[in-house]
Amino acid sequence: MHDEFAKIEWLKTRFELDAKPEGVVVGIGDDAAVFDFGNRPTVITVDTQVEGVHFRGDMISPRDLGRRAMVAAASDVWAMAAMPSASTIALTLPPDLSEQQFRELIEGLAGAARLVGARVIGGNLSRGEALSVTTTVFGLPIGRPLTRAGAHPGDAVYVTGTVGAAALGLAILDTKRTEIEHAERFIERWRRPPINGHAVKTLAAVATAAVDLSDGCLQDLQHLCKASGVGARIYADALPTAPGHSTTSEALGLNPLDLAHAGGEDYELLFTAPASSD
């Protein structure tokens, strides 16, 4: 993963050598780009799910994969305090994907697009060795676009839900220990990420900075801190985890704190805001 982040930094530096197009509000390095087409800023993000990298076909149904791909992309838009408005889909289809599986994948994408408000308006189909789903989502910010920069010393750190649950679900699937208590809850959490559109108005009203939790709580918080020029202190016992997280992790021989700290693909929203007394 660190190599990926190094590449992103290099790409950011490389493309900043070119003349900045008029209309760029937020460029490379945040959850999404923001471009002003002349009327109001538009948030634009793209996310790819590749078989063998982000999922295995024996772990998730085509319908759930479609839903997961759409929600994962929409999560970047929510992190910018924006609401999804449209999407495009690029699919690479392997020869062994049946027509029924293809249609199930599309139904998952379409159903999730309705849920998040990002109607599919176009895309591309191609053939390849592995199934991949690339989702581009466009959104409109409620107010000013929220970025990873903007956190202040003294701000508190908040998360819209629990952390580490998706990584635990993936670990259960990977080890095939589906008989352990709470297994289905955590598996479902990995297969079907949360829809956090309801939190966008709150982010727009109170948040100073935000990031989508896809790489792990501490890693993504580090991205936010670096962009904001601040540090953060996290108390282990304050990390929000789902009921049964500790016992289920330990049943697999895993450290529950490690999963909460570093487990990826939660697709919750982590944000900073002035500390509340409530």
Side-chain angles (χ1 to χ4, degrees):
M1 290 302 294
H2 293 294
D3 185 57
E4 175 189 344
F5 301 138
K7 282 182 169 61
I8 291 171
E9 284 299 315
W10 182 86
L11 288 167
K12 183 176 186 293
T13 301
R14 168 59 188 85
F15 287 117
E16 284 178 347
L17 296 175
D18 299 329
K20 184 178 179 180
E22 184 179 351
V24 174
V25 180
V26 178
I28 296 172
D30 218 295
D31 283 286
V34 182
F35 194 90
D36 191 338
F37 290 96
N39 183 21
R40 60 185 295 191
T42 298
V43 176
I44 308 165
T45 190
V46 61
D47 185 83
T48 299
Q49 303 278 319
V50 181
E51 187 171 13
V53 178
H54 303 96
F55 69 93
R56 293 199 329 242
D58 63 334
M59 289 183 170
I60 190 168
S61 70
R63 186 179 288 263
D64 278 348
L65 173 60
R67 182 190 186 279
R68 189 172 189 271
M70 180 62 70
V71 174
S75 186
D76 286 332
V77 175
W78 293 324
M80 306 291 285
M83 293 301 291
S85 55
S87 62
T88 60
I89 309 296
L91 300 174
T92 301
L93 307 177
D96 61 350
L97 188 76
S98 70
E99 184 66 20
Q100 179 62 29
Q101 289 172 318
F102 169 71
R103 291 177 181 269
E104 286 292 314
L105 174 65
I106 297 305
E107 289 303 319
L109 283 162
R114 286 192 297 272
L115 285 174
V116 306
R119 179 182 173 182
V120 179
I121 58 173
N124 183 68
L125 281 177
S126 64
R127 183 177 289 267
E129 292 302 312
L131 175 62
S132 74
V133 184
T134 298
T135 311
T136 300
V137 175
F138 305 87
L140 298 174
I142 291 180
R144 63 172 181 82
L146 188 63
T147 69
R148 298 175 181 181
H152 306 297
D155 281 354
V157 180
Y158 301 91
V159 179
T160 52
T162 60
V163 295
L168 180 51
L170 181 59
I172 293 168
L173 287 168
D174 194 42
T175 58
K176 297 181 171 56
R177 294 285 307 279
T178 56
E179 81 287 350
I180 62 177
E181 190 178 10
H182 307 302
E184 192 54 42
R185 173 195 303 164
F186 291 107
I187 290 171
E188 188 74 358
R189 182 63 180 73
W190 177 77
R191 287 173 174 164
R192 297 172 65 85
I195 294 175
N196 281 312
H198 64 277
V200 173
K201 286 185 178 179
T202 299
L203 262 66
V206 305
T208 53
V211 65
D212 160 59
L213 289 184
S214 56
D215 296 322
C217 181
L218 291 190
Q219 182 68 71
D220 287 314
L221 177 58
Q222 182 180 337
H223 295 325
L224 184 150
C225 288
K226 181 178 178 181
S228 295
V230 298
R233 178 178 295 151
I234 298 297
Y235 297 94
D237 60 355
L239 283 169
T241 56
H245 175 86
S246 293
T247 57
T248 307
S249 299
E250 290 164 357
L252 291 175
L254 300 174
N255 186 317
L257 275 180
D258 287 347
L259 288 174
H261 288 156
E265 300 182 312
D266 281 313
Y267 298 113
E268 295 289 358
L269 306 177
L270 181 148
F271 64 99
T272 56
S276 171
S277 59
D278 296 335

